[in-house]
């Protein structure tokens, strides 16, 4: 029996192989107990709560931590055996690769959950999730680069030269791609400061349109003409942006003029007539109505009201109703609108002294 335990196979005794197998099976059994009892109970508890954080933790443990436990069980059971240096090195490298892969997966999942939970607490979360995709790509690239550097360092290589090279290369890339990096930083400004979001109607200088997409380098607008307008993020962050989607109400000022032949009694009626018309409209708030001045060919009035909606079509509908009602009321009150006219007064004496006009 002693000879059986001391028998060697692939450089390891039977006892060593059995020990490794027992460690492997014991590890698998412990993982199964962990899944069947602990994870099962965690799922039941998370199902009773309204928050999503516990659901995320359970999912992360099940998809990333449990596979990492399997990898660890394989690795530590194989450590009970003696292998040639090359084979042992290959096993160690494979374990580091697997460990780094699952660890980075856990880190990126935590960052993603944190970012999206922050977005879900805000309004228009669906559109902001689309904007966050570009940010997640950049974060994932940074995490994986750091993870690869960590892996190389644990493999025994000197990463000082690599980090120095990355620093010098980063400076060279930054100098060569200043415009691209400028747009990238502008993307971060747009994402965190949120001067506009997807679905907002904005005007930038002489450009206007609805925001359709916010990317790492460019933002795309759908203009009123139907074409797509592509603007760099730097251009948008450096310009004055008029965001009409966030306008809670619209202030309207309009003037009208009536002829000088209008009587004083009619002039007194005009502000009350227009005020009554504006107050009769839904979602419209009257501000003021005044006889504002004596024009060259008209008696001028100025009116101000608010439309309690940011929708442009709604505003135009209300304005049309007000204008039509004013026209109807003035027609009923026999008040005439003014238009550019010029009256010429002729001196009869000057006409009689003038030379006779010959008719041909």
């Amino acid at each position: 029996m002693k000879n059986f335990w001391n028998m060697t196979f692939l450089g390891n005794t039977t006892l060593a192989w059995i020990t490794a197998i027992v460690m492997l099976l014991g590890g698998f059994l412990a993982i199964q107990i962990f899944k069947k009892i602990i994870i099962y109970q965690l799922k039941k508890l998370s199902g009773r709560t309204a928050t999503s954080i516990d659901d995320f933790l359970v999912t992360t443990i099940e998809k990333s931590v449990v596979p990492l436990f399997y990898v660890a069980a394989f690795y530590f059971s194989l450590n009970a055996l003696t292998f040639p240096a090359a084979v042992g090195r290959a096993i160690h490298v494979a374990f580091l690769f697997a460990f780094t892969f699952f660890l980075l997966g856990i880190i990126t999942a935590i960052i993603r959950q944190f970012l999206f939970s922050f977005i879900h607490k805000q309004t228009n979360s669906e559109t902001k999730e689309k904007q966050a995709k570009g940010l997640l790509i950049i974060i994932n690239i940074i995490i994986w680069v750091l993870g690869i550097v960590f892996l190389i360092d644990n493999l025994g290589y000197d990463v000082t030269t690599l980090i120095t090279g990355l620093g010098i290369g980063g400076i060279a890339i930054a100098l060569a791609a200043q415009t691209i990096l400028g747009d990238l930083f502008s993307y971060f400004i747009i994402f965190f400061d949120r001067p506009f979001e997807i679905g907002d109607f904005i005007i930038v200088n002489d450009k206007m349109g609805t925001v359709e997409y916010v990317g790492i380098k460019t933002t795309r607008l759908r203009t009123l003409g139907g074409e797509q307008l592509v603007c760099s993020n730097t251009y948008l962050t450096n310009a004055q942006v008029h965001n009409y989607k966030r306008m809670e109400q619209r202030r309207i000022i309009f003037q009208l003029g009536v002829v000088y032949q209008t009587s004083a009694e009619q002039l007194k009626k005009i502000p009350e007539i227009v005020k009554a018309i504006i107050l009769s409209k839904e979602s419209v708030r009257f501000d003021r109505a005044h006889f504002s001045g004596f024009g060259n060919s008209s008696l001028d009035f100025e009116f101000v009201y608010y439309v309690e909606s940011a929708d442009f079509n709604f505003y135009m509908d209300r304005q049309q109703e007000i204008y039509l009602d004013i026209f109807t009321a003035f027609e009923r009150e026999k008040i005439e609108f003014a238009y550019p006219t010029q009256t010429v007064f002729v001196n009869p004496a000057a006409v009689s002294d003038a030379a006779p006009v010959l008719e041909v």
Side-chain angles (χ1 to χ4, degrees):
M1 188 66 175
K2 185 181 292 185
N3 292 334
F4 172 76
W5 295 113
N6 293 327
M7 290 176 60
T8 59
F9 179 70
L10 296 178
N12 293 278
T13 63
T14 305
L15 180 62
W17 280 106
I18 292 175
T19 302
I21 293 172
V22 170
M23 289 178 62
L24 181 63
L25 294 177
F28 280 11
L29 180 62
I31 294 170
Q32 289 299 318
I33 293 173
F34 178 77
K35 289 173 61 178
K36 296 293 184 182
I37 298 177
I38 297 179
I39 293 183
Y40 176 75
Q41 293 297 326
L42 289 175
K43 282 184 176 179
K44 288 179 63 177
L45 291 173
S46 64
R48 298 171 186 169
T49 62
T51 61
S52 60
I53 296 177
D54 47 6
D55 296 321
F56 161 74
L57 291 175
V58 173
T59 303
T60 303
I61 291 172
E62 193 172 19
K63 291 185 177 181
S64 297
V65 177
V66 170
L68 189 58
F69 285 164
Y70 280 114
V71 173
F74 266 109
Y75 178 71
F76 289 111
S77 62
L78 291 177
N79 274 346
L81 303 173
T82 303
F83 294 103
V87 176
R89 177 70 176 173
I91 293 172
H92 180 67
V93 170
F95 171 74
L96 285 179
F97 268 102
F99 178 80
T100 304
F101 175 80
F102 286 111
L103 180 63
L104 294 180
I106 293 171
I107 294 173
T108 53
I110 291 173
I111 293 175
R112 180 186 177 87
Q113 175 65 21
F114 174 78
L115 182 62
F116 279 99
S117 63
F118 172 75
I119 291 174
H120 286 157
K121 295 177 182 178
Q122 304 176 10
T123 57
N124 299 325
S125 58
E126 294 182 1
T127 59
K128 292 177 182 177
E129 284 183 10
K130 296 179 182 178
Q131 289 181 283
K133 290 180 180 178
L135 180 62
L136 281 174
I137 292 173
I138 297 171
I139 293 174
N140 287 339
I141 291 173
I142 294 173
I143 290 174
W144 280 94
V145 169
L146 293 176
I148 292 171
V149 172
F150 166 81
L151 176 63
I152 294 173
D153 181 59
N154 280 271
L155 291 176
Y157 296 100
D158 185 11
V159 296
T160 305
T161 306
L162 177 61
I163 294 173
T164 304
L166 288 174
I168 296 173
I171 294 172
I173 293 172
L175 293 174
Q178 293 183 42
T179 304
I180 296 174
L181 291 176
D183 289 330
L184 177 60
F185 284 113
S186 296
Y187 168 77
F188 285 119
I189 293 172
I190 293 171
F191 181 80
F192 288 107
D193 193 47
R194 298 193 300 276
F196 54 82
E197 298 170 356
I198 295 174
D200 290 1
F201 183 84
I202 63 174
I203 296 179
V204 187
N205 297 330
D206 60 336
K207 310 293 190 298
M208 65 179 69
T210 303
V211 180
E212 280 192 338
Y213 173 80
V214 180
I216 295 175
K217 188 180 187 307
T218 61
T219 296
R220 300 167 197 171
L221 309 179
R222 183 66 61 181
T223 67
L224 295 177
E227 70 272 17
Q228 188 179 71
L229 180 65
V230 181
C231 304
S232 70
N233 292 333
T234 304
Y235 169 77
L236 292 174
T237 53
N238 289 337
Q240 290 183 338
V241 178
H242 300 262
N243 193 332
Y244 282 86
K245 182 67 175 294
R246 297 181 183 176
M247 181 172 57
E248 297 179 357
Q249 60 183 8
R250 194 182 294 264
R251 185 173 185 263
I252 292 86
I253 302 175
F254 72 95
Q255 295 85 23
L256 59 84
V258 296
V259 297
Y260 267 90
Q261 288 74 21
T262 307
S263 67
E265 195 64 31
Q266 289 175 316
L267 290 177
K268 292 177 182 178
K269 288 183 179 179
I270 290 175
E272 294 301 323
I273 291 173
V274 176
K275 178 180 178 180
I277 290 172
I278 293 174
L279 289 174
S280 67
K281 305 304 175 188
E282 182 183 356
S283 300
V284 175
R285 190 173 78 253
F286 174 80
D287 186 26
R288 62 182 177 84
H290 293 101
F291 179 18
S292 60
F294 296 89
N296 292 330
S297 58
S298 63
L299 299 171
D300 298 328
F301 287 82
E302 184 175 84
F303 306 94
V304 179
Y305 67 93
Y306 291 89
V307 176
E308 297 174 339
S309 173
D311 185 74
F312 184 78
N313 289 336
F314 182 86
Y315 149 65
M316 289 300 294
D317 290 341
R318 290 295 176 269
Q319 180 176 264
Q320 176 179 257
E321 293 173 6
I322 291 170
Y323 286 177
L324 289 173
D325 287 353
I326 290 173
F327 191 90
T328 303
F330 278 26
E331 191 177 57
R332 183 177 60 251
E333 296 291 334
K334 298 188 176 357
I335 300 172
E336 296 184 28
F337 289 97
Y339 50 88
T341 57
Q342 189 173 36
T343 303
V344 179
F345 295 92
V346 180
N347 188 345
V351 173
S352 62
D353 294 339
V357 179
L358 299 176
E359 293 183 1
V360 180

